[in-house]
């Protein structure tokens, strides 16, 4: 038994350890965020509500069926509901009815409400999908921030390792009297600065991981981490297309565009519903009713008629139709039609604004890809030049032709150039992914 328990505990600890060591890829983060993000869940509930609205609109076309039962007691002079005679007694009476009614015509308002409910469901789906698009871009940005901060930490660690070697060599030279003690202090200050940079980088990693985890609705921040991968600039031929071509394609599938366009269609359907109120409405009904009274006696025997028999004797059926003709309702119908016409104009303007914003975003993304790639190339050249200059400074420092302060400054320039290159690299990758996303290319770092 002890062996079995120990084995189970071991298996459990391994499973827990594997769960804690999970490293999330970008694709896993995007998929998980789409499935679990709170904003997405909220829009999913809105979609469910839209389905209920469609069910309500469909149900309004069907006949209604309702029943009612009532019972009462009267003391003193009262009307016997079964004989319509006034009696001075305590009367107990009961009645029941069942009514069915149906709307035969209402200016096609119910039909248009069904069509509107269908459009509402489509609109809700577009809004849900648009929110997923936003989440995907936010996750990609947060993921790349974590990668950039991790890569910066690696650079700071490597720089500190080199500085520690220089510190050891400088200490030996100071001890042997080759270099003044001030040079050692300068190198020690450089090492302390780099240690501080490492601490700041670790804090940035933690903060960026928390931001990413929150997008995924994950609260176990301590055990959340992303895959340790090295990403180079991904190949892409997106710039072979003009910004106009990318915009035209984006118009065909972007969910924010489809959502705005559906808004125009919804406003048009509201106008049809408002116009339907100008027409007469026709309905039909059928009613079955019966009643009972404890004062209802057989005219021949004088005995009270049993409850069951009274329900049969006193029952009746009524049926008919009615027409309501709108003549004057304080201009409410006319004003509702005007409001609906204004809503169409507003929805059309929103649609045009959405297209204009998309065109602006695409053009900005196109320019950003070009500019950020140039910035990345410039950062590469800067790092290359700073590295060569540092190697030259190191050679001069090793033979005593440069003091520790100048050498430290040269190393700081390399540190800054490496940090700038990392940031420029991931800035460019994110802008590239945004532009590809507008072209319909799924988010991936491959």
């Amino acid at each position: 038994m002890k062996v079995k328990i120990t084995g189970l505990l071991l298996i459990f600890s391994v499973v827990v350890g594997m769960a804690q060591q999970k490293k999330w890829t970008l694709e896993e983060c995007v998929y998980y965020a789409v499935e679990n993000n709170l904003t997405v869940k909220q829009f999913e509930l809105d979609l469910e509500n839209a389905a209920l609205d469609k069910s309500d609109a469909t149900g309004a076309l069907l006949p209604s069926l309702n029943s009612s039962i009532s019972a009462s007691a009267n003391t003193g002079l009262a009307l016997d509901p079964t004989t319509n005679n006034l009696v001075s007694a305590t009367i107990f009476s009961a009645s029941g009815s069942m009514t069915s009614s149906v709307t035969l015509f209402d200016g096609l308002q119910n039909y248009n409400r069904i069509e509107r409910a269908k459009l509402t469901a489509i609109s809700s789906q577009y809004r849900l999908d648009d929110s997923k698009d936003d989440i995907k871009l936010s996750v990609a940005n947060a993921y790349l921030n974590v990668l950039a901060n991790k890569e910066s930490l690696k650079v700071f660690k490597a720089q500190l390792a080199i500085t520690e070697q220089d510190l050891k060599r400088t200490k030996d030279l100071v001890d042997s009297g080759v270099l003044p003690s001030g040079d050692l202090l300068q190198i020690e200050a450089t090492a302390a600065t780099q240690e501080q940079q490492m601490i700041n980088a670790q804090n940035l990693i933690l903060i960026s991981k928390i931001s990413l985890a929150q997008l995924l609705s994950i609260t176990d921040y301590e055990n959340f981490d992303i895959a340790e991968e090295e990403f180079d600039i991904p190949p892409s031929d997106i710039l072979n297309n003009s910004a106009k071509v990318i915009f035209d394609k984006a118009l065909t599938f972007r969910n924010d565009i489809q959502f705005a366009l559906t808004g125009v269609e919804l406003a048009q359907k509201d106008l049809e519903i408002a116009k339907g109120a100008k027409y007469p409405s026709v309905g039909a009904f059928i009613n079955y009713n019966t009643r009972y009274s404890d004062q209802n006696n057989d005219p021949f025997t004088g005995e009270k008629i049993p409850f069951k028999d009274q329900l049969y004797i006193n029952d009746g059926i009524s049926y008919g139709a009615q027409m309501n003709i709108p003549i004057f309702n304080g201009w409410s119908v006319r004003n509702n039609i005007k409001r609906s016409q204004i809503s169409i104009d507003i929805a059309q303007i929103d649609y045009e604004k959405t297209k204009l914003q998309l065109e602006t975003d695409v053009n900005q993304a196109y320019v950003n890809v070009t500019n950020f790639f140039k910035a990345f190339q410039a950062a590469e050249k800067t790092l290359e030049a700073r590295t060569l200059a540092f190697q030259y400074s190191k050679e001069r420092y090793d033979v005593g032709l440069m003091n520790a302060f100048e050498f430290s400054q040269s190393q700081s320039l390399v540190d800054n150039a490496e940090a700038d290159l990392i940031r420029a690299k991931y800035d460019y990758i994110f802008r590239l992914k945004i532009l590809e996303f507008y072209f319909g290319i799924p988010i991936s770092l491959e």
Side-chain angles (χ1 to χ4, degrees):
M1 180 63 70
K2 290 182 178 180
V3 173
K4 290 182 178 179
I5 294 175
T6 302
L8 290 173
L9 291 174
L10 179 60
I11 293 174
F12 177 76
S13 63
V14 170
V15 171
V16 172
M18 290 177 62
Q20 292 178 343
Q21 295 171 4
K22 176 178 174 57
K23 305 291 185 179
W24 293 72
T25 65
L26 175 60
E27 289 75 13
E28 289 174 334
C29 287
V30 168
Y31 176 80
Y32 191 88
V34 167
E35 295 297 320
N36 296 276
N37 184 267
L38 295 179
T39 302
V40 171
K41 287 184 176 294
Q42 181 179 354
F43 287 137
E44 286 175 344
L45 293 175
D46 290 341
L47 184 59
E48 292 183 21
N49 275 330
L52 293 176
D53 291 340
K54 179 182 177 182
S55 179
D56 288 339
T58 303
L61 288 177
L62 303 177
S64 63
L65 180 63
N66 300 283
S67 64
S68 64
I69 299 175
S70 65
S72 64
N74 296 279
T75 301
L77 186 65
L79 183 68
D80 189 334
T82 60
T83 63
N84 287 329
N85 294 326
L86 288 172
V87 295
S88 181
T90 299
I91 301 175
F92 175 79
S93 62
S95 64
S97 67
M98 183 172 291
T99 303
S100 178
S101 62
V102 62
T103 299
L104 301 177
F105 180 77
D106 64 348
L108 299 179
Q109 290 185 86
N110 276 342
Y111 171 78
N112 286 322
R113 288 190 183 100
I114 293 176
E115 295 301 308
R116 189 192 191 284
K118 292 178 181 178
L119 286 172
T120 300
I122 294 173
S123 177
S124 297
Q125 184 65 59
Y126 283 136
R127 184 171 63 171
L128 172 62
D129 293 338
D130 185 49
S131 70
K132 290 180 179 180
D133 289 344
D134 292 339
I135 290 298
K136 290 175 183 177
L137 288 176
S138 297
V139 168
N141 188 29
Y143 192 93
L144 291 174
N145 277 335
V146 178
L147 282 179
N149 292 329
K150 283 195 167 193
E151 197 164 323
S152 295
L153 178 61
K154 290 179 182 178
V155 170
F156 291 141
K157 285 182 177 179
Q159 292 168 348
L160 179 60
I162 294 173
T163 301
E164 288 176 342
Q165 292 177 358
D166 292 336
L167 181 63
K168 184 177 182 303
R169 183 169 59 255
T170 301
K171 187 176 185 304
D172 292 338
L173 293 174
V174 169
D175 291 341
S176 61
V178 176
L179 293 176
S181 59
D183 284 6
L184 179 60
L185 295 175
Q186 185 63 50
I187 299 297
E188 288 177 345
T190 299
T193 299
Q194 291 175 342
E195 287 178 355
Q196 185 177 2
Q197 289 175 330
M198 284 180 53
I199 294 173
N200 292 336
Q202 289 170 344
N203 290 335
L204 288 175
I205 290 173
L206 178 59
I207 292 171
S208 58
K209 286 199 300 183
I210 290 175
S211 298
L212 177 59
Q214 288 176 338
L215 288 173
L216 274 60
S217 297
I218 292 176
T219 57
D220 187 10
Y221 304 136
E222 293 183 359
N223 295 315
F224 176 76
D225 203 356
I226 66 172
E228 296 288 342
E229 300 180 67
E230 294 287 344
F231 290 102
D232 295 323
I233 297 295
S236 177
D237 58 357
I238 188 65
L239 292 181
N240 293 339
N241 304 280
S242 66
K244 179 67 167 57
V245 170
I246 297 174
F247 169 67
D248 289 341
K249 184 174 181 181
L251 283 177
T252 64
F253 71 90
R254 285 284 301 179
N255 291 299
D256 51 350
I257 296 296
Q258 301 303 318
F259 176 70
L261 182 59
T262 308
V264 176
E265 296 174 355
L266 281 170
Q268 292 170 341
K269 192 60 64 176
D270 286 336
L271 176 60
E272 294 179 21
I273 294 173
K275 287 181 177 180
K278 297 188 302 181
Y279 298 96
S281 61
V282 180
F285 70 91
I286 183 171
N287 172 268
Y288 171 81
N289 60 84
T290 186
R291 59 190 61 82
Y292 163 83
S293 171
D294 63 354
Q295 298 298 314
N296 194 359
N297 300 324
D298 190 303
F300 298 104
T301 64
E303 297 179 354
K304 290 183 178 180
I305 301 176
F307 177 79
K308 182 178 180 182
D309 293 344
Q310 286 196 44
L311 295 182
Y312 174 74
I313 294 171
N314 299 325
D315 69 350
I317 297 175
S318 61
Y319 46 86
Q322 69 277 343
M323 176 183 290
N324 293 321
I325 303 174
I327 298 175
F328 179 75
N329 294 281
W331 299 294
S332 62
V333 174
R334 185 190 68 176
N335 290 339
N336 285 336
I337 292 175
K338 288 185 177 180
R339 288 190 184 94
S340 298
Q341 290 171 334
I342 293 172
S343 295
I344 292 176
D345 294 336
I346 293 174
Q348 187 65 45
I349 291 174
D350 287 340
Y351 173 59
E352 296 299 329
K353 287 172 61 179
T354 303
K355 288 201 302 182
L356 183 61
Q357 184 62 52
L358 177 61
E359 185 176 19
T360 301
D361 292 342
V362 169
N363 280 282
Q364 184 63 57
Y366 197 90
V367 172
N368 284 343
V369 169
T370 303
N371 290 341
F372 277 88
F373 184 66
K374 291 179 180 178
F376 170 73
Q377 290 178 319
E380 279 188 316
K381 293 178 180 179
T382 300
L383 177 59
E384 182 179 357
R386 296 298 186 194
T387 302
L388 291 175
F390 174 72
Q391 291 174 352
Y392 177 69
S393 299
K394 183 174 177 57
E395 292 173 358
R396 296 188 65 199
Y397 176 74
D398 289 342
V399 295
L401 296 178
M402 177 180 285
N403 59 42
F405 176 77
E406 292 174 336
F407 177 68
S408 176
Q409 290 296 104
S410 177
Q411 187 173 16
S412 296
L413 291 176
V414 175
D415 296 346
N416 293 335
E418 288 185 329
D420 290 342
L421 178 62
I422 293 171
R423 183 52 57 189
K425 169 186 172 182
Y426 285 101
D427 281 344
Y428 168 70
I429 291 175
F430 180 60
R431 269 67 185 185
L432 178 64
K433 294 306 169 184
I434 290 178
L435 187 60
E436 289 180 341
F437 198 63
Y438 284 131
F439 200 60
I441 300 175
I443 293 178
S444 173
L445 293 180
E446 296 179 355

